[in-house]
Amino acid sequence: MAEFMLHIIKVNVLSAVIIFIVLAVSRLLDKKYSSRWKYLIWLFVSVFLLIPVRLPSNARGLTIEVPKQITRTEYAGSTNALAAETANIPTDSTKNSSNEQTMTNDQADMQDSAGENAKDSVSPRENIKIDTIAWFMAYIWGAGICVAVVYKLFMLRAGRRELRRWRIPFTNSERIAEYNKLCKKMHIKKAPKLVASSKLSGPLLAGIRNTYLYLPERDYSGDECELIFRHELCHYRNRDLWYKLLMIWITTVYWFNPAVYFMKKEAERDIEFICDESVMKGRNHEDKLRYNQLLLKTAALGRHPYELSTSLNDGLLTFKRRMVNIMKAGKMKKGILPVICFTILLVMSNVFTGCSLKDSGEKQKKADTEAAADNVDSKEDEKPSGKEEEDSKEKVINGKAVIDPDTKAKTETPIQAEPEEKPTDPPKTEPTPAKTEPTELSGFMNRDALPSMVQNLGLQQASGVAFGDMGMRYEGNGIDVEWDPDTNGIAGRALISISCENNSSVSMEGIRCGEQYKEAETNLLQSGYRNLGDSDPSHKEFISDSESKIISIDVSDASISAWSWMNWPQGDFAPITTQYMPVDGDYKNASDGEYATIRITGINDNSFYFTIYKYIEGQGEQQIFMDNIAVFEERESSTAVFRGQQYTLTFDCSEYGTIKLSGFDDAITLGDTFWNSQALHTS
């Protein structure tokens, strides 16, 4: 068991080193190679972890020896004390030389006896076998796996139950015909079943054995549906659900290794990048921009929490990287060379490194005992004896040291006086340099001012990424800015993307690198931005619906390490504008007695969550319609709709502070108009 656990530790350490090296190198290689090279490396590392084969080798370059048992020893205190006492017995200066010689011989005999007894005075105090420690570690590892398996199974079953609960047939015959035609074109024989969901906010592919492609109850155009179908069918053809299942199993078995969680997160991003590249390969510039718009449209709606699924929506956290990959689709290399290099490194490190157990029992104990005895004997050899000792004697008479008549000289060691301490000067404090204010870039965000900003920051021109060859891109000192000189966005403004990493000399709307994140968050919320979610503590996203701007922030040690800004939301991205928007709270259709309540939460520009309750005097409040989502299906509309299997509920929000409900008779027996007293009072 000890050798097995040592090998498991070695395998995890080697895998963690490879994972972190790949993550570090990918920052450079991702600009040149497709994400498929990392996809293959994660696959090889997963197999290496799941099948921890111990390869025998006689030519190991590095072998770590671990003792079979940990032994701690000490010498008997009584014998040591006796030896110390006899060594320090003072000689009486008033006795003659014969008595001194007799006393010296007695001391020698006593020290000889102490040296003989020292060989038997070594006794073990603690003896722990490494095999016992290995079994203890194995029990903890196994218990952790059991807990992780139960938790994962519970979460997966709960997610699958949620999908089944809100699954409804897909009835759009035109879209079904397009889907079947595309499946034949992609040579997919057993295609996923196309269904709709009244709960999801974006498309989703789920199910290992019986795979379903879920579409939300939203009106997608024909071009958007074609892109969605291609993306999800690409996941299905690449067996990405099995790939994600493998990553889930790796994090379950090696729950104690933080590196595998980084690998899983990066692998999930890579499969999205690969599908994006496959869908956009050979497409023109306009198709790529349209695809980016579709990604941002779905990313703003949030992600479904079901872990074992693939989705077009990977969130705003990776949107910028996906956008860059999409514009480069078909131009990047496959990356066979990095795959070969890292695979060889992983295999060779396993072959030429190893751990072994060494004996440390009786042999080591015997060696320690002999070493202790030799140490005592060597001290005896250093003691002068006979005439040499007598000649070197020094007598003390009347409190004065005199030299023996037979001794010709005496060597005295002069006592040196301690030097006087000189007062030390207080340390000089250097003046604190004055803080330099960062350059605020928000004033340069228009087509005419951007060239002067680029010149002031000393940026160098580079090839376009976000807007293809037509874009103007400049880089330098951790800053990159890019804009489209031809396409006009909202209100005729240029489409701009700017980012900064580890450079505190510039700021955007007061956000700069090195600033405390909490302070920046407070300023953004006060400026009208809203937080798009806190699922990733190291990356934050904020959006300004009124001005259609997005700011993303990377957080490291509670401070900002990088930020990016873009004014991309346009056209389909623009927030839905309504005459009136509902506010959070309860809307009632009566004041007392018996009444119904619509509880509104989670309001955004596209939808809101609602739950319907009924209050009966004497019985209290009871839920009669479960928590669900109503969606503004048309732009510039004040009507939100919920489409379920049994009910279609319509919420008319055209009057501030009131909602008119239709489609659910159990709630409107006392009237279809519901009002929020707090909202009406504040208006």
Side-chain angles (χ1 to χ4, degrees):
M1 178 56 70
E3 292 184 353
F4 173 74
M5 290 304 299
L6 287 174
H7 182 66
I8 291 296
I9 294 174
K10 185 196 79 170
V11 166
N12 277 270
V13 171
L14 293 179
S15 300
V17 171
I18 294 295
I19 290 170
F20 287 123
I21 290 177
V22 171
L23 291 175
V25 173
S26 63
R27 287 179 170 267
L28 300 176
L29 298 185
D30 282 347
K31 298 179 180 180
K32 184 177 181 181
Y33 295 108
S34 168
S35 297
R36 189 170 295 277
W37 72 276
K38 284 192 295 179
Y39 175 96
L40 294 175
I41 290 177
W42 304 143
L43 181 61
F44 293 155
V45 172
S46 300
V47 174
F48 177 70
L49 286 169
L50 285 182
I51 310 176
V53 178
R54 186 180 182 188
L55 300 175
S57 176
N58 297 325
R60 295 194 177 186
L62 176 62
T63 300
I64 301 175
E65 293 185 347
V66 179
K68 288 185 178 180
Q69 63 183 18
I70 302 173
T71 304
R72 297 178 61 186
T73 60
E74 66 175 358
Y75 299 103
S78 60
T79 306
N80 290 340
L82 178 61
E85 257 183 60
T86 56
N88 295 321
I89 295 177
T91 58
D92 192 350
S93 60
T94 61
K95 293 185 178 182
N96 55 27
S97 59
S98 61
N99 292 336
E100 291 176 2
Q101 180 65 34
T102 303
M103 183 176 292
T104 304
N105 294 335
D106 292 340
Q107 291 179 9
D109 294 338
M110 294 176 67
Q111 291 183 0
D112 290 340
S113 176
E116 292 176 358
N117 293 333
K119 297 181 179 180
D120 298 327
S121 63
V122 181
S123 59
R125 185 175 63 181
E126 187 177 358
N127 190 354
I128 303 175
K129 292 184 178 180
I130 195 68
D131 203 51
T132 304
I133 299 176
W135 277 108
F136 180 72
M137 294 173 61
Y139 287 142
I140 295 179
W141 182 25
I145 291 177
C146 293
V147 173
V149 167
V150 171
Y151 174 75
K152 292 290 184 182
L153 288 177
F154 175 79
M155 295 302 297
L156 292 177
R157 291 189 57 147
R160 185 175 62 180
R161 228 176 12 248
E162 184 79 3
L163 290 175
R164 288 180 176 179
R165 181 180 182 182
W166 303 106
R167 187 171 66 201
I168 58 178
F170 190 76
T171 57
N172 192 324
S173 57
E174 183 181 356
R175 298 288 178 259
I176 293 175
E178 294 175 357
Y179 177 72
N180 293 332
K181 183 179 179 181
L182 183 60
C183 289
K184 292 180 180 180
K185 186 177 180 181
M186 296 179 68
H187 305 289
I188 299 177
K189 295 181 180 180
K190 187 181 177 181
K193 187 176 180 181
L194 190 61
V195 295
S197 175
S198 57
K199 189 72 173 178
L200 294 177
S201 58
L204 187 75
L205 185 72
I208 293 292
R209 290 180 299 177
N210 299 319
T211 310
Y212 291 87
L213 200 166
Y214 294 85
L215 287 179
E217 291 189 319
R218 297 179 61 86
D219 291 332
Y220 289 106
S221 64
D223 292 337
E224 289 178 335
C225 280
E226 190 261 344
L227 293 174
I228 292 172
F229 292 156
R230 281 187 178 274
H231 183 92
E232 300 303 334
L233 289 175
C234 180
H235 280 303
Y236 179 75
R237 187 173 57 184
N238 293 343
R239 304 287 195 275
D240 286 338
L241 289 176
W242 289 97
Y243 188 82
K244 295 191 74 170
L245 181 62
L246 175 64
M247 293 299 160
I248 293 174
W249 182 242
I250 287 292
T251 54
T252 302
V253 174
Y254 296 104
W255 51 268
F256 57 87
N257 189 349
V260 298
Y261 295 95
F262 287 101
M263 180 180 71
K264 176 178 177 291
K265 185 176 181 180
E266 193 69 17
E268 291 175 350
R269 292 176 179 175
D270 290 335
I271 62 177
E272 297 298 333
F273 294 156
I274 292 172
C275 285
D276 292 340
E277 294 167 8
S278 178
V279 173
M280 287 291 103
K281 187 177 181 179
R283 299 291 188 108
N284 56 32
H285 182 72
E286 288 73 17
D287 289 340
K288 293 178 180 179
L289 285 178
R290 190 181 302 113
Y291 189 69
N292 279 333
Q293 292 174 352
L294 177 62
L295 286 180
L296 187 56
K297 180 179 180 180
T298 56
L301 299 177
R303 298 186 62 186
H304 192 274
Y306 186 52
E307 188 173 11
L308 189 56
S309 64
T310 61
S311 172
L312 180 72
N313 174 19
D314 195 35
L316 283 170
L317 304 181
T318 58
F319 172 71
K320 184 178 179 181
R321 287 178 58 186
R322 292 182 71 177
M323 177 185 67
V324 173
N325 280 6
I326 289 167
M327 302 308 295
K328 290 183 177 181
K331 299 179 181 179
M332 292 187 288
K333 299 180 181 180
K334 294 182 178 180
I336 301 299
L337 182 60
V339 174
I340 295 175
C341 292
F342 281 106
T343 303
I344 293 176
L345 179 61
L346 182 62
V347 174
M348 291 298 101
S349 60
N350 185 34
V351 173
F352 293 107
T353 59
C355 299
S356 64
L357 299 175
K358 67 176 181 178
D359 293 330
S360 60
E362 296 300 326
K363 294 181 180 179
Q364 185 67 27
K365 177 181 176 181
K366 185 177 180 181
D368 293 340
T369 304
E370 292 177 354
D374 292 341
N375 187 29
V376 176
D377 291 340
S378 62
K379 291 182 178 180
E380 293 298 320
D381 293 339
E382 294 176 358
K383 177 178 176 59
S385 61
K387 184 64 176 174
E388 294 178 358
E389 181 180 1
E390 185 178 351
D391 292 340
S392 61
K393 284 286 182 182
E394 180 182 297
K395 297 181 181 180
V396 179
I397 299 175
N398 297 329
K400 296 183 179 181
V402 297
I403 301 176
D404 194 270
D406 297 332
T407 306
K408 295 182 179 180
K410 172 184 175 183
T411 305
E412 294 182 356
T413 304
I415 300 177
Q416 297 180 355
E418 296 183 359
E420 296 182 0
E421 295 185 358
K422 296 181 180 181
T424 57
D425 296 333
K428 297 181 180 180
T429 56
E430 298 182 358
T432 304
K435 289 187 176 180
T436 57
E437 292 296 328
T439 302
E440 176 60 39
L441 303 182
S442 58
F444 295 93
M445 295 298 104
N446 61 75
R447 186 181 288 106
D448 298 330
L450 282 170
S452 61
M453 182 197 76
V454 168
Q455 185 177 2
N456 293 340
L457 297 179
L459 305 183
Q460 303 296 324
Q461 188 170 5
S463 57
V465 176
F467 306 104
D469 297 335
M470 301 298 296
M472 303 295 294
R473 182 180 180 85
Y474 290 85
E475 301 175 345
N477 300 324
I479 305 170
D480 64 76
V481 58
E482 188 167 5
W483 69 90
D484 190 343
D486 299 324
T487 306
N488 290 329
I490 299 175
R493 68 186 181 193
L495 304 181
I496 305 170
S497 172
I498 182 170
S499 63
C500 175
E501 182 176 3
N502 297 324
N503 189 331
S504 59
S505 63
V506 296
S507 63
M508 172 59 74
E509 300 191 24
I511 305 301
R512 65 184 180 89
C513 295
E515 180 185 10
Q516 291 297 310
Y517 167 72
K518 286 298 182 182
E519 181 180 350
E521 180 186 34
T522 302
N523 295 335
L524 286 175
L525 295 177
Q526 292 177 352
S527 302
Y529 283 86
R530 61 182 173 91
N531 195 333
L532 290 176
D534 290 325
S535 59
D536 189 347
S538 64
H539 191 93
K540 308 294 183 180
E541 298 280 353
F542 296 87
I543 186 169
S544 172
D545 296 323
S546 60
E547 301 182 46
S548 300
K549 297 182 297 187
I550 293 178
I551 290 181
S552 63
I553 298 174
D554 290 337
V555 182
S556 177
D557 296 332
S559 62
I560 299 174
S561 60
W563 57 261
S564 64
W565 178 96
M566 63 173 3
N567 62 352
W568 267 63
Q570 59 165 340
D572 291 338
F573 299 113
I576 298 173
T577 57
T578 59
Q579 183 178 0
Y580 296 109
M581 287 288 291
V583 296
D584 284 337
D586 292 346
Y587 292 75
K588 301 179 180 180
N589 59 357
S591 299
D592 52 11
E594 181 178 341
Y595 57 87
T597 301
I598 304 176
R599 186 159 296 162
I600 303 296
T601 59
I603 299 172
N604 58 50
D605 297 316
N606 302 295
S607 61
F608 58 80
Y609 285 94
F610 70 92
T611 309
I612 302 179
Y613 298 87
K614 197 167 188 177
Y615 178 83
I616 300 177
E617 192 169 0
Q619 299 181 11
E621 189 178 68
Q622 298 178 354
Q623 180 177 326
I624 60 175
F625 199 94
M626 64 191 64
D627 184 37
N628 224 306
I629 186 170
V631 179
F632 294 99
E633 295 184 328
E634 298 181 2
R635 195 166 301 283
E636 298 182 359
S637 171
S638 59
T639 301
V641 181
F642 163 77
R643 301 184 187 275
Q645 293 180 333
Q646 298 179 350
Y647 300 97
T648 298
L649 278 58
T650 303
F651 300 82
D652 184 358
C653 309
S654 57
E655 297 182 11
Y656 182 77
T658 63
I659 293 177
K660 290 186 177 181
L661 173 67
S662 59
F664 191 57
D665 296 337
D666 292 346
I668 60 177
T669 53
L670 298 177
D672 62 350
T673 302
F674 295 72
W675 66 87
N676 184 304
S677 57
Q678 184 177 1
L680 293 175
H681 178 74
T682 55
S683 63

